[in-house]
Amino acid sequence: MIRTLIAFAALIFALPSAEARSERAGELEWSIIIHGGAGVIERGAMDAGTEAAYRAALQDALELGGGMLMDGADGVDVVEAVIRVLEDDPKFNAGRGAVFTSEGRVELDASIMVGHSRAAGAVAGVTGVRNPISLARAVMEHSPHVMLIGDGAESFAAERELETAEQSFFFTERRWQAMERQVERMGLPVPPRPEGAPDPEPVREGALDLMEREHRFGTVGVVVMDTNGITVAGTSTGGTTAKRWGRVGDTPIIGAGTWADQRCGLSATGTGEYFIRFNVAAAICHDANRLMFEQHSFAEAAQIAADRMMERLEADGGDGGIVMLFVGEPIWAMNTPGMYRASWGLGREPYVAIYGDE
C-alpha cells in the first residue's frame, strides 16, 4: 500500500502543470472563462434588446480580459479588472445592481484565489466598498488573513484607501421592487428606500418575474490562465434577494464558490448553502485531477467531474452552475436552463452564450 501511494504521488508531480504545458508548447498560452449567474433563463423569456445587452456585456468583459492576457498581464490583475467591470454593470447581481436584503441594503461578498501558491482572499457582508473583488485581493495581498467580514472588512478597506460608495450607488429600481415583493411574501415590513435613491419608477411588465428567475442565483465569476501558466479564480455576488440575519453564501468561501490549484480554477454560482455543504469548487477540481489517471483527456476529466457534481447537487435540491479552466481547457456545467457565460483563449474563437443548449 505504501509503495502504491508513493508511486501515485510521484505520478501526480510528474503530470504537467499548466505552466509546464505552456512552456513545452513554445507559445504563450492563455485562457479565460466568465460567468454572470445561472437560473431559469429560457428562450423567449427575454426581449431581443435585453438579450443583446447581456451578450454585449459578456463580450466586452471577455475582450477586456482576453486583451490583457494577450499582452502578458498577470492573472490576478485580469481577474480583478474583469470582475470590477461586472460589479459596476447593473445588469448583474454583484456590486452596483446587487440584490437587497430584507432590511433594504446591499451586503456584498467576493473572493479570489491563486492556483500555484494557494494564496486567497475573501470578504463577506460588505456594504460600502464599490468593488468587493478589490477588497478581497487586498485581504490576500496585504493581510495575514483569508477572510474579513462586515465592519472589520470595511475598516481594512479604509486603511487600504479603496474606493467607497453609498448605498444609493448600488441601487437599481428592479432589484428594489424584487425585494419588496419577496419581503411581502415573507410577511415582513417593507424597509424604507435608501437615502439618496431615486424616486420610484415603473419597471417593465414581466421584468421582475424574469429577473427573479434568471438571477435567483446571480453571481459573477472569472477564471484565467495567464501566459505564465498560472490559474487565478475570482467570484463576486450580492447574494439572494431579501436575505436575512447576515446570510453568507458560497461565494466568499474558499473551496465552495471559488477555488484554484496548480491545474484547475473554478467559480461557482447557485444555491450557496448546497455549494458550501458539498464544497463544490474544490471537490470538482480534486475529482478532475483524479480522473486524469483513468485515461481521460484534460477536458474529459474536468467535464465528467463537473457534470457529476451538478447531478449530485440536483438530486439533493441544489441548483446552479460552474465555469472552470483545467490546464487551460474551458469547461462549464449547470443544472439550470441557462447561465450567462463566455470564454476565449489562444487558438480558440470568443464564445458567448446564455441558454443551456448553446
Side-chain angles (χ1 to χ4, degrees), residues 209-222:
D209 291 330
L210 169 64
M211 182 187 63
E212 289 172 0
R213 294 196 307 272
E214 70 176 348
H215 277 301
R216 182 181 170 194
F217 315 122
T219 293
V220 301
V222 179

Side-chain angles (χ1 to χ4, degrees), residues 33-42 45-46 50-58 86 91-93 174-175 210-211 213-221 269 321-323 332 334 336-343 351-356 358:
I33 192 164
I34 298 170
H35 74 75
V40 184
I41 312 169
E42 299 173 321
M46 282 186 283
T50 300
E51 179 176 331
Y54 275 105
R55 290 186 186 274
L58 291 168
L86 296 172
K91 287 187 288 297
F92 299 102
N93 176 18
R174 64 175 191 156
R175 298 293 191 202
L210 169 64
M211 182 187 63
R213 294 196 307 272
E214 70 176 348
H215 277 301
R216 182 181 170 194
F217 315 122
T219 293
V220 301
T269 173
I322 64 94
V323 296
W332 53 87
M334 70 197 89
T336 55
M339 178 170 65
Y340 299 109
R341 60 199 187 276
S343 70
Y351 167 90
V352 175
I354 296 177
Y355 308 111
E358 292 186 80

Side-chain angles (χ1 to χ4, degrees), residues 76 111-115 118-121 140 231-234 254-255 258-261:
V76 175
S111 63
I112 189 168
M113 187 171 187
V114 182
R118 305 293 177 93
M140 177 177 72
T231 298
V232 182
I254 300 300
T258 302
W259 179 258
D261 58 36

Side-chain angles (χ1 to χ4, degrees), residues 63-275:
E63 290 178 359
L64 170 64
M68 291 178 68
L69 289 166
M70 280 189 282
D71 289 340
D74 178 81
V76 175
D77 291 338
V78 177
V79 168
E80 180 186 16
V82 175
I83 291 183
R84 283 175 64 98
V85 167
L86 296 172
E87 287 175 337
D88 285 345
D89 188 331
K91 287 187 288 297
F92 299 102
N93 176 18
R96 190 177 193 183
V99 300
F100 289 92
T101 71
S102 62
E103 295 179 347
R105 66 178 186 175
V106 299
E107 294 180 357
L108 309 173
D109 308 329
S111 63
I112 189 168
M113 187 171 187
V114 182
H116 76 293
S117 64
R118 305 293 177 93
V123 294
V126 174
T127 62
V129 176
R130 174 169 174 165
N131 295 110
I133 191 63
S134 295
L135 180 52
R137 178 180 181 175
V139 172
M140 177 177 72
E141 295 181 341
H142 301 289
S143 88
H145 308 301
V146 170
M147 179 183 287
L148 300 181
I149 66 170
D151 292 343
E154 303 274 357
S155 296
F156 180 71
E159 290 184 16
R160 299 304 310 171
E161 299 182 342
L162 296 182
E163 185 175 0
T164 60
E166 299 295 329
Q167 285 283 302
S168 58
F169 169 81
F170 302 107
F171 185 94
T172 56
E173 187 65 38
R174 64 175 191 156
R175 298 293 191 202
W176 184 261
Q177 291 191 26
M179 180 275 295
E180 286 184 330
R181 296 195 347 172
Q182 183 62 23
V183 296
E184 288 172 353
R185 295 188 195 108
M186 297 162 67
L188 299 173
V190 174
R193 291 169 76 88
E195 184 177 350
D199 293 333
E201 60 186 48
V203 174
R204 180 176 55 82
E205 184 177 356
L208 290 176
D209 291 330
L210 169 64
M211 182 187 63
E212 289 172 0
R213 294 196 307 272
E214 70 176 348
H215 277 301
R216 182 181 170 194
F217 315 122
T219 293
V220 301
V222 179
V223 186
V224 306
M225 185 186 77
D226 65 22
T227 53
N228 292 313
I230 295 172
T231 298
V232 182
T235 315
S236 182
T237 191
T240 57
T241 300
K243 61 186 179 181
R244 304 179 69 190
W245 308 302
R247 180 264 187 188
V248 176
D250 63 301
T251 291
I253 308 298
I254 300 300
T258 302
W259 179 258
D261 58 36
Q262 190 179 17
R263 300 183 185 89
C264 185
L266 188 148
S267 176
T269 173
T271 43
E273 286 71 16
Y274 287 90
F275 280 62

